[in-house]
């Protein structure tokens, strides 16, 4: 396998053998001359729910995609479950992993996008069993039984034979959550999972996410649902212009924001 030295700085290495599921250190991301992330430092502990809010263009979704290396870092480090994402260190330098190695790292991370991303030519059941069978090489019958249990969990046991076009947006998003859970992830990433839904469908998706939180799933959620963040989140992070402006317990940040930028944002959305 050919290796290329990463441009990620190698100032020091942090071991993550404690209860931190995600550790971000000085994460930067640029697209050409556009600096989207400007030094993000965050920690998500096992079993916690971190909600990330902020205006459009603040870098929230980009950061989420960096966590599972869908976007490569320009600088900084990201660990998930104690493992350096996308790179390995050798003799004081970082080398980018081969895509197959990165794919293996991603198996423990579930991600739910804004627009469902279901396979339109597959049934609901087919969508849920595809990754366990093709990626994890599970036996089809075992994957099928687990998929049916997951569909029941998200309230769609009667839709297993349906196709995505036959479902509402809320139902499609619940299928997407079941599909992510089928890989038995230790971390779930949600990128504004309700933003593409009609208002009356938002609640059914948030209910599934609440259940996951109650069961102890570690979750990193980019959202504009402040009620959900207040009720379910352990930490609320406000981002703007590629930096973390403020973070803390959700009720504290929402009711008594310290930073003027946070105050200005919340005054428009609450």
């Amino acid at each position: 396998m050919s290796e290329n030295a990463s441009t990620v700085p190698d100032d020091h290495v942090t071991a993550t053998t404690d209860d931190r599921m995600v550790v971000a250190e000085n994460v930067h991301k640029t697209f050409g001359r556009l600096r989207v992330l400007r030094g993000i430092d965050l920690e998500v502990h096992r079993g916690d729910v971190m909600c990330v809010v902020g205006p459009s263009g603040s870098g929230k979704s980009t950061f989420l995609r960096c966590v599972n290396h869908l976007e490569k870092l320009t600088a900084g480090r990201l660990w998930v479950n104690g493992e350096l994402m996308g790179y390995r260190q050798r003799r004081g330098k970082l080398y980018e992993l081969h895509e197959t190695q990165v794919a293996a790292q991603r198996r423990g991370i579930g991600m739910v996008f804004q627009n469902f991303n279901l396979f339109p030519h597959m049934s609901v059941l087919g969508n849920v069993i595809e990754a366990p069978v093709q990626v994890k090489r599970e036996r089809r019958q075992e994957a099928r039984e687990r998929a049916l249990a997951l569909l029941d969990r998200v309230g769609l046991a009667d839709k297993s034979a349906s196709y995505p076009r036959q479902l509402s947006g809320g139902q499609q998003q619940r299928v997407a959550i079941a599909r992510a859970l089928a890989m038995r992830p230790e971390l779930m990433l949600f990128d504004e999972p309700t933003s593409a839904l009609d208002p009356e469908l938002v609640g059914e998706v948030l209910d599934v996410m609440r259940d996951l939180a109650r069961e102890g799933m570690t979750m990193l959620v980019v959202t504009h649902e402040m009620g959900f963040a207040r009720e379910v989140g352990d930490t609320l992070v406000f981002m703007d212009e590629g930096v973390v402006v403020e973070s803390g317990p959700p009720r504290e940040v929402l009711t008594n924001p310290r930073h003027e930028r946070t105050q200005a944002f919340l005054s428009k959305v609450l």
Side-chain angles (χ1 to χ4, degrees):
M1 180 186 72
S2 61
E3 294 176 320
N4 294 314
S6 166
T7 58
V8 180
D10 190 37
D11 297 328
H12 62 284
V13 175
T14 298
T16 56
T17 56
D18 51 25
D19 72 337
R20 295 177 293 176
M21 177 64 75
V22 179
V23 178
E25 286 189 356
N26 195 31
V27 169
H28 290 253
K29 178 62 182 178
T30 62
F31 296 95
R33 295 184 178 181
L34 179 62
R35 298 175 63 199
V36 179
L37 301 177
R38 303 173 180 236
I40 302 295
D41 294 293
L42 284 178
E43 294 181 358
V44 184
H45 292 258
R46 297 180 191 277
D48 280 359
V49 177
M50 176 177 284
C51 295
V52 183
V53 303
S56 177
S58 60
K60 308 183 300 296
S61 294
T62 297
F63 174 72
L64 207 66
R65 291 173 64 84
C66 286
V67 171
N68 62 358
H69 207 63
L70 287 176
E71 296 289 354
K72 299 177 183 179
L73 307 188
T74 304
R77 307 270 178 86
L78 261 167
W79 289 264
V80 175
N81 201 16
E83 189 171 4
L84 187 64
M85 283 298 298
Y87 301 93
R88 69 185 179 94
Q89 179 171 301
R90 188 176 65 185
R91 297 175 183 174
K93 292 184 179 181
L94 293 183
Y95 294 85
E96 189 169 344
L97 296 179
H98 189 276
E99 182 57 33
T100 57
Q101 295 172 299
V102 176
Q105 289 184 320
R106 291 193 188 116
R107 291 177 188 176
I109 306 172
M111 187 163 186
V112 178
F113 300 88
Q114 298 178 29
N115 294 314
F116 327 135
N117 290 350
L118 300 177
F119 299 117
H121 63 289
M122 291 185 179
S123 68
V124 165
L125 183 62
N127 268 275
V128 179
I129 70 173
E130 178 70 5
V133 170
Q134 298 298 327
V135 178
K136 299 187 78 172
R137 303 301 180 189
E138 289 185 11
R139 292 183 302 167
R140 183 167 291 273
Q141 182 59 32
E142 177 185 340
R144 184 179 187 277
E145 292 173 0
R146 177 165 170 75
L148 290 172
L150 287 169
L151 289 171
D152 183 59
R153 179 178 178 179
V154 300
L156 293 172
D158 60 335
K159 299 293 185 181
S160 64
S162 300
Y163 285 80
R165 65 179 180 275
Q166 298 172 310
L167 305 180
S168 70
Q171 290 172 328
Q172 291 186 61
Q173 194 62 294
R174 284 185 281 156
V175 173
I177 294 173
R179 180 178 63 180
L181 293 174
M183 292 292 284
R184 296 182 171 90
E186 295 187 74
L187 169 68
M188 285 287 287
L189 308 178
F190 291 89
D191 187 7
E192 300 198 25
T194 61
S195 65
L197 301 179
D198 292 332
E200 65 270 21
L201 303 177
V202 169
E204 62 191 54
V205 174
L206 294 181
D207 285 343
V208 173
M209 295 171 65
R210 288 186 184 95
D211 287 342
L212 288 176
R214 280 192 287 267
E215 293 169 7
M217 176 64 74
T218 308
M219 298 162 60
L220 183 53
V221 185
V222 171
T223 185
H224 58 271
E225 300 291 342
M226 299 300 167
F228 174 85
R230 181 193 299 267
E231 174 191 350
V232 180
D234 295 288
T235 304
L236 181 65
V237 172
F238 171 65
M239 284 181 61
D240 192 18
E241 297 183 352
V243 300
V244 174
V245 177
E246 187 167 345
S247 66
R251 293 179 184 274
E252 180 180 314
V253 174
L254 291 173
T255 59
N256 189 31
R258 300 185 303 273
H259 200 285
E260 289 183 5
R261 288 157 75 184
T262 316
Q263 294 168 10
F265 173 75
L266 293 177
S267 70
K268 297 175 183 177
V269 299
L270 293 180

